[in-house]
Amino acid sequence: MNAEKILQDLNEAQREAVSAPLEHLLVLAGAGSGKTRVLVHRIAWLLSTHEVSAYRILAVTFTNKAANEMRVRIQTMLNSPVPGMWIGTFHGLAHRLLRAHWQAAGLPQAFQILDADDQFRLIRRLTKGMGLDEENYPPRQTQWFINHCKEQGLRPGAVEPGHDITRQHQLLVYREYENTCQRAGLVDFAELLLRSYELWTQNDELLQHYQQRFQHLLVDEFQDTNTLQYNWIRLLAGGHARVFVVGDDDQSIYGWRGAKSENLENFRTEYPGTKMIRLEQNYRSTNTILTAANTLIANNPNRLGKQLWSAGGKGELIDLYGAYNEVDEARYVVNRIQQWILEGGTRQDVAILYRSNAQSRLFEEALLGTGISYRVYGGLRFFDRAEIKDALAYLRLMENRDDDASFERIINTPTRGIGEQTVNKIRLNAREQRTTLWSSALALLQNRAFTARAHNAVQGFVDLIEQLARETGGISLQEQVAHVVEASGLRRHFDKDKSEKGQSRVENLDELVNAAKGFERPEEDEEMSELASFLSHAALEAGEGQAADGQECVQLMTLHSAKGLEFPVVFLVGLEQGLFPHSRSTTDPAGFEEERRLCYVGMTRAQQKLVLSYAESRRMHGQTSIQRPSCFISEIPAELIADQRPKVSVSRPVVASQKNSTLQRTGITEERAIALGQRVRHAKFGEGVVMGYEGDGAHTHVHVNFKAVGDKRLVLSHAKLEAL
């Protein structure tokens, strides 16, 4: 394939990157700028124009899908296979090395790979075997500690125990885990990379072989590399290979996973004279969306810097909707989706992006209510999530002691020292006596059939369920659910895992409390208790199922899951202080900058239409609170925003710090009689707080939370509310 053909259909910057001299090169590739295209054409250029052997090329991507796609595209371009070239993920390539050199790596030939779940189960077993209480030393947190140490290249002997007792015990588990894996020939994901790195550092002859072999290293998504991955590439490159890296510091959103965006700058420092080429022409979004994203991300300091632009048109303004509350926000989004479909668009065109996966519930309910098929991308639907099923199992067992499935699910969740042997004894007795597990447990307790330790543990579980049932009698559904989440120990159990995943589980439990507060019992369930009706609702929701594979549907996903994807229409929801940017980032400048990058990634997923939304009040952690719009909204030029807010004859609060923000410049702060958050008095219901509004003009309904009677929705023109 000649040079001219390889470079055709590339823009000027892409052409410059593909045909650059054989030296170190950093390609700063903006969102939607064709970075995969550049990588594929660069490899084709090396193979054809410079007649580099495929045997001399190693290319690293971050997903197996991307690696396979790259290989196929190269072979299609060249119209021939490329044997000998290594293309894969860091873990895939490291695995290939270890299989080839298992003896030198100190591994058995048939070593097995531990996936994340298997690793967790092993760490959990070791924690229990060492006599450590899971509640005080959560295995999930220890798993994070071990993987983090390995990603830093640290074996147990190189880790300082410090004075933190938790860290000291985690280090003990790490040592035992290492010994167990070595004896059993087990290798986890982090170990693949660390062991292959050590294979080179401890075997100079082998290192020289691979350094001489791979003369051209190409690395995609370089901003997502961690310390060990960066060092792995640097070691392999040695002083001879030419390194071609592609990345975007503005799309570095995995800091919590160990990724270091500064590796892009470190690369330029490590290899002085490295040329940098910017890919700034975007083939995805309108110029309005790109200008807004450029302006937002410019607020982050220490960027390498670039300005995305498009040869296409200006496009529509970005819509901004200020919802009264989270229910109104979900309703608005789904109404807009219905409108899109009526006008000839498809469900597949649309994505709803949110910061926390707990936010999916209300959008799922609204979509189900209108019959619009959807899929939660890269995750489970709300009522299918493990922590939600755990909480519901407690509630179900309280409601019905004969629920065997719930009994089995929670008898040792959170862990309370009831082992599988004890549970098997309960099962066997239940089968022999033809009774339920609950009745079986009571009988065995009465007959003193357990060991002393098991007896105390099972008795404690039975007492807990009975206590929960007593304590939740006569209180509201929301209070019942909130009490069970706390008193069962579930919230405390998941809160000990300080990883992003662990905190997401806690947020989901809080959202379950919100679901209980917003639940309205159907007329046909009047004969049932409110709790029984709610549990039926949850079971039916879980049973609805997601859209089938290949079925046209709306995509729901977290912003982290959205990276690398694109959609004609994007709804970026929940843009509120404390939610997005997340409250965990407020005291951490680096974390706050990553939140802004996450917003930038979300905005640049949109091709034609971008809609932003926030709620003025939101139920969070079981409480309704007044929300402030995200500071990211005020960082978008006002002239690029179209306010979609319905006009009603009520006022809304104005935050003093927002006086010069986009929100005021788009006309959201009209002065009216009663403000959101206003304390009011009603002749019949007493004092309350205004939480939101629905409708327009004479049909406006006001949502008030009264001290005495709880939530009420009243017709504003008839309510005769007195402002206090």
Side-chain angles (χ1 to χ4, degrees), residues 328-570:
D328 181 41
E329 179 184 43
R331 184 166 48 238
Y332 170 78
V333 168
V334 173
N335 286 344
R336 287 291 301 267
I337 294 171
Q338 286 180 303
Q339 182 183 345
W340 171 263
I341 294 169
L342 285 172
E343 293 173 355
T346 68
R347 295 168 176 82
Q348 199 68 31
D349 294 338
V350 181
I352 303 173
L353 310 182
Y354 36 79
R355 176 61 180 85
S356 163
N357 69 18
Q359 292 170 256
S360 77
R361 181 185 67 86
L362 287 168
F363 295 99
E364 290 184 53
E365 287 188 359
L367 288 164
L368 281 170
T370 54
I372 298 176
S373 56
Y374 72 91
R375 175 176 293 281
V376 179
Y377 182 92
L380 295 170
R381 299 171 74 249
F382 182 78
F383 284 108
D384 288 333
R385 293 167 189 163
E387 60 276 11
I388 299 302
K389 286 187 170 184
D390 292 341
L392 291 174
Y394 273 97
L395 293 163
R396 288 196 171 99
L397 198 58
M398 285 164 45
E399 187 74 6
N400 174 19
R401 304 296 194 281
D402 295 336
D403 186 336
D404 283 355
S406 294
F407 181 96
E408 283 206 70
R409 184 176 186 93
I410 60 172
I411 187 172
N412 201 40
T413 304
T415 53
R416 50 179 60 89
I418 301 176
E420 190 61 26
Q421 189 174 347
T422 301
V423 177
N424 279 333
K425 193 167 193 173
I426 296 171
R427 286 194 199 104
L428 180 61
N429 183 64
R431 196 158 49 241
E432 290 174 349
Q433 301 300 319
R434 298 194 175 189
T435 186
T436 65
L437 294 177
W438 178 268
S439 297
S440 173
L442 292 180
L444 291 170
L445 285 169
Q446 188 174 1
N447 295 330
R448 292 280 173 178
F450 298 120
T451 64
R453 182 178 178 184
H455 180 95
N456 291 335
V458 175
Q459 187 67 60
F461 172 66
V462 168
D463 291 345
L464 173 64
I465 298 300
E466 297 288 4
Q467 179 186 343
L468 290 175
R470 287 194 305 272
E471 292 173 345
T472 54
I475 62 177
S476 71
L477 177 63
Q478 177 200 1
E479 291 171 320
Q480 287 182 62
V481 176
H483 182 69
V484 167
V485 165
E486 290 291 342
S488 66
L490 284 175
R491 195 178 198 284
R492 183 172 64 254
H493 170 68
F494 290 116
D495 196 35
K496 288 185 177 179
D497 180 0
K498 298 303 180 184
S499 70
E500 184 89 6
K501 187 174 183 179
Q503 294 308 296
S504 177
R505 291 183 187 276
V506 174
E507 290 169 357
N508 284 335
L509 289 174
D510 289 337
E511 185 58 27
L512 182 64
V513 177
N514 292 342
K517 184 171 184 180
F519 178 69
E520 295 182 7
R521 181 169 39 179
E523 288 183 12
E524 61 269 24
D525 287 358
E526 285 184 357
E527 300 298 318
M528 303 167 62
S529 70
E530 192 174 21
L531 175 57
S533 178
F534 178 69
L535 292 172
S536 296
H537 162 74
L540 290 170
E541 286 274 297
E544 284 287 336
Q546 299 196 53
D549 288 342
Q551 182 181 351
E552 185 184 286
C553 58
V554 172
Q555 303 287 318
L556 277 68
M557 66 190 75
T558 64
L559 284 150
H560 285 101
S561 297
K563 186 169 177 287
L565 303 176
E566 56 186 42
F567 305 91
V569 182
V570 167

